[in-house]
Structures are given as C-alpha cells and as structure tokens.
Amino acid sequence: MVLIGAMLWGLSGTAAQKLFEDYGFTTGYLVTMRLLIAGSLLLGFAWIRGKRVALLGVWKDRRDRIGLIVFGLLGLLGAQYTYFIAIETGNAATATLLQYLAPLLVTMYVAVQARKMPRAIEMGAVLLALLGTALLVTNGRWDALSVPGIAVFWGVISAVPLAFNTLYPGGLLSRYGAEVIVGWGMLIGGLGLLFIERPWLSIGHVWTGMSLSLVLFVIFFGTLIAFLLYLGSLRYNTPTETSLLACLEPLVAVIASVVWLHVQFGIYQAIGGLCIMGTVAILSLPKKEDRSNR
C-alpha cells in the first residue's frame, strides 16, 4: 500500500510537469482544483466511515479551529503551492528530491528546541544532505546550476511547509483523525487560494483527452488514493518502515521524468538524489532508546 501510494505521488509530479509544459496549465489553477476536489472527497470518505462527530467537532473548539486553519493555509497550501511551482519553473525530479529535505529540517528544529546537539549520525545526515543538494543543483559543475535558480529556491522552500506538516498538527490528528484533519486542511487551503486564483476565469489551458486524464490523475490518484493508501499502510507497518518505503516517491519521479518527459538528469545529479534519499533513510531509523522500548 505504501509503495503504490509513493509511486502515485511521484507520478503526479511528472503528470503536473506535462500539464505545465504542453497544455498551458498553471500552478495556481492545478493546486486550487487539487485541494478543493481532493479535500471534499476526503471529507466525504470520512463521513461515510462514520466520523461525523469528528468532522463537526473540530470546529467547536476555538483552539482547534484556529489550528486547523493555520494547518490548511500554511501547511497544506504552502507545501502544495511551493512544490508545484518548483515543478513549473524546473522539473518534477529536482522538485521532489529537494522537498525531501524536510526530515532534515525537522531534525534540526527538534535539536534547537531541545537545546541539544544532534547525534553524530544526524550530523552526518546533515552533511550528506548538503552534499546531495549541491550535486543535484549543479550536476558537478560548480560554475553553473543545472536547473533554474528560481526552481531551486522554490524546491528548497517547499521543504519548510512539509516539515511544518510533520511537526504542527500532531494534536489535531490524534484527537480527530488524519482523514478529517487533512480533508478539512485541503479544503481550507483551496478556499484560501481562491482569494488570488479564479479557476473559472483561467485561460490558456488546452483541454484534450490527455490533459483531462492528467488532471484527474493528479487529483484522484496522485492525491486522494495515494493518501488513503499511505494512511492505510500504517495499520500494518511501523512509522519507520512507512517513512523508508515512501522514499520510492522521488525515485519514481526521477525515472518518470527521464523516461517519459526526457528530462536530462546527469550522473552527479543522480548521486545527489541518492544522497538526499540516504539522508531520509538515516533520519527515519529509530534511535537506540526507541528500539529498546519496542
């Protein structure tokens, strides 16, 4: 389940790149439609599963209500918009790998908050991530970037709201469930984007059978089904196993970008991508004290 979900996430990035390059779609339009439709369907799924009390209950508590709005606007909308604009200005492979710097940011934040130096293995992960990022964006040529600078900027920035999504909504998720919180968060993010994006007024999109199929794939398979599969896998896997298996996402994004979209991906970029994935693997491993408690 987690492998299929990760594959769908990776493929949705390349599908979005195809829409940007060949069919005139924009980040604002695609993110708005993705969040509004997927969020509504996710809430409907939660309703069918009998989580009606939680669906309404989250709005009764003032603190939870504010927290949900913050999560939807800064977390989900922030992560989706920055990730897709990194794809639009660059490519899906680089954007996905750069977003996977999020676990590194989480580790550093926790260390600062606890006023405790990271462990040696975590410091090694930091150096590995920095090396991987440098190789990814330069392809070994230190006098020029292999992707546009603006794409690198948005790719790195996209890791920040993704890290925020890991740290911030823990209490909300435990009280109301992931389907309810993520569903409302997506809907809030989509509604928030409507203040600056008017999908019904957008022009320049080329609607064909292929472009419609790609839009539907991004919304349904790359968002709704991928999330449900990932969530369902937690019933069978530990969080550590799930995080490690989810590393298939950037690998699929790279392969699909090279094979399907013919994106140039050099050997040094491949090494850089492996370094970043290695960082995620290292930081996902449980600490000794965690293993002793299992």
Side-chain angles (χ1 to χ4, degrees):
M1 293 171 73
V2 67
L3 288 175
I4 294 174
M7 289 177 63
L8 292 175
W9 273 327
L11 290 173
S12 71
T14 55
Q17 182 178 340
K18 185 73 171 177
L19 288 168
F20 295 147
E21 291 180 348
D22 294 349
Y23 298 100
F25 282 75
T26 62
T27 293
Y29 180 88
L30 196 58
V31 172
T32 303
M33 300 303 294
R34 185 187 200 194
L35 290 176
L36 288 176
I37 296 175
S40 299
L41 291 174
L42 197 54
L43 292 175
F45 183 78
W47 181 275
I48 293 173
R49 291 191 62 191
K51 298 187 177 182
R52 301 173 186 179
V53 174
L55 279 170
L56 300 177
V58 67
W59 293 103
K60 295 180 180 179
D61 184 277
R62 181 177 180 274
R63 185 177 179 181
D64 288 343
R65 186 165 61 244
I66 294 174
L68 182 59
I69 293 172
V70 170
F71 173 60
L73 295 177
L74 298 184
L76 290 180
L77 174 57
Q80 293 292 314
Y81 193 88
T82 53
Y83 171 64
F84 275 92
I85 201 169
I87 295 175
E88 185 177 3
T89 55
N91 59 71
T94 303
T96 305
L97 286 166
L98 288 175
Q99 192 177 54
Y100 262 67
L101 292 171
L104 177 66
L105 300 182
V106 172
T107 299
M108 301 308 296
Y109 173 82
V110 171
V112 171
Q113 187 182 48
R115 297 181 181 179
K116 183 179 179 181
M117 285 293 294
R119 297 175 300 155
I121 192 171
E122 292 171 340
M123 291 301 296
V126 171
L127 297 176
L128 189 63
L130 293 175
L131 174 62
T133 303
L135 291 174
L136 179 66
V137 302
T138 64
N139 195 30
R141 288 189 57 190
W142 306 107
D143 59 335
L145 295 177
S146 58
V147 292
I150 188 64
V152 176
F153 171 79
W154 285 116
V156 173
I157 291 297
S158 71
V160 177
L162 188 61
F164 177 83
N165 291 342
T166 301
L167 295 165
Y168 182 79
L172 290 170
L173 294 172
S174 63
R175 287 191 291 276
Y176 301 102
E179 294 154 326
V180 171
I181 297 304
V182 175
W184 276 122
M186 286 183 174
L187 189 59
I188 291 168
L191 291 173
L193 195 53
L194 285 179
F195 283 99
I196 58 175
E197 181 71 27
R198 302 290 190 272
W200 55 89
L201 297 178
S202 298
I203 59 175
H205 303 156
V206 179
W207 286 102
T208 66
M210 175 58 76
S211 63
L212 176 61
S213 298
L214 291 173
V215 170
L216 293 177
F217 179 86
V218 169
I219 294 172
F220 290 99
F221 291 92
T223 307
L224 180 67
I225 294 177
F227 170 75
L228 292 176
L229 287 171
Y230 183 88
L231 183 65
S233 72
L234 292 172
R235 297 199 303 267
Y236 309 100
N237 303 325
T238 66
T240 296
E241 292 167 340
T242 302
S243 298
L244 292 173
L245 291 171
C247 287
L248 183 65
E249 178 189 352
L251 180 61
V252 169
V254 171
I255 293 175
S257 296
V258 172
V259 175
W260 181 36
L261 303 180
H262 308 294
V263 171
Q264 297 297 317
F265 207 75
I267 182 64
Y268 289 105
Q269 288 177 290
I271 295 173
L274 290 174
C275 288
I276 293 175
M277 293 170 65
T279 299
V280 177
I282 291 171
L283 297 178
S284 298
L285 294 175
K287 300 178 182 179
K288 290 183 179 179
E289 55 265 30
D290 295 335
R291 287 194 291 263
S292 65
N293 291 331
R294 290 179 65 182

